[in-house]
């Protein structure tokens, strides 16, 4: 292989590995989020906004641990850990507020089922979170 081919292969494998790990972590976070959301919504009868906050919070906790240690392999000193954690929390508060806004819009304006709305806003959050984590939090 020539140098250009090796470089392209190295870049592609690195990006593919990163995207694959983020996707696996995202699926796990989404499962946790959706299970907690469903329990709060269906079993405990909480309003969908409270259910969204609870589910999202559990998913976010898992997300920080897996994305820091496995997806982005961030091993910064403890001082940097707190900085990352604050950035991570900011990203997820913004993402949560956006998902609640769109969930209310989908449910109240477009009369879309709460679970279909949950799936749509989860996809929106995934895009926001990946870009924010990659470019700002774990950079």
């Amino acid at each position: 292989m020539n140098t250009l081919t090796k470089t392209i292969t190295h870049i592609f494998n690195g990006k593919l590995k990163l995207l694959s790990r983020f996707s696996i972590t995202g699926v796990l976070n989404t499962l946790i989020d959706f299970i907690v959301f469903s329990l709060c919504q269906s079993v405990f009868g909480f309003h969908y906004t409270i259910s969204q906050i609870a589910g999202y919070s559990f998913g976010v906790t898992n997300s920080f641990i897996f994305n820091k240690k496995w997806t982005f392999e961030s091993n910064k000193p403890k001082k940097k850990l707190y900085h990352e954690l604050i950035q991570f929390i900011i990203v997820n508060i913004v993402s949560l507020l956006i998902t609640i806004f769109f969930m209310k819009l989908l449910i109240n304006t477009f009369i879309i089922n709460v679970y279909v709305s949950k799936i749509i806003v989860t996809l929106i959050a995934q895009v926001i979170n990946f870009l924010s984590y990659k470019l700002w939090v774990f950079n």
Side-chain angles (χ1 to χ4, degrees), residues 2-94:
N2 65 28
T3 305
L4 179 60
T5 307
K6 286 181 183 178
T7 303
I8 291 171
T9 303
H10 176 71
I11 291 170
F12 180 74
N13 287 339
K15 300 285 185 203
L16 187 60
K17 175 183 169 186
L18 179 67
L19 190 56
S20 296
R21 286 183 175 192
F22 183 79
S23 297
I24 292 167
T25 300
V27 167
L28 183 57
N29 301 337
T30 302
L31 285 173
I32 292 168
D33 176 357
F34 209 88
I35 289 168
V36 173
F37 176 85
S38 296
L39 285 172
C40 290
Q41 178 76 24
S42 299
V43 175
F44 300 116
F46 295 159
H47 188 269
Y48 65 83
T49 303
I50 301 300
S51 300
Q52 173 67 2
I53 291 169
Y56 195 85
S57 297
F58 277 86
V60 163
T61 302
N62 184 74
S63 178
F64 182 77
I65 295 165
F66 275 85
N67 279 313
K68 177 172 178 43
K69 294 295 182 186
W70 187 56
T71 303
F72 297 105
E73 301 180 73
S74 179
N75 295 313
K76 295 178 182 171
K78 276 200 175 196
K79 265 188 171 176
K80 296 286 185 178
L81 171 67
Y82 298 116
H83 190 254
E84 281 179 344
L85 183 58
I86 289 168
Q87 289 175 312
F88 189 84
I89 290 169
I90 290 169
V91 165
N92 281 286
I93 287 172
V94 170

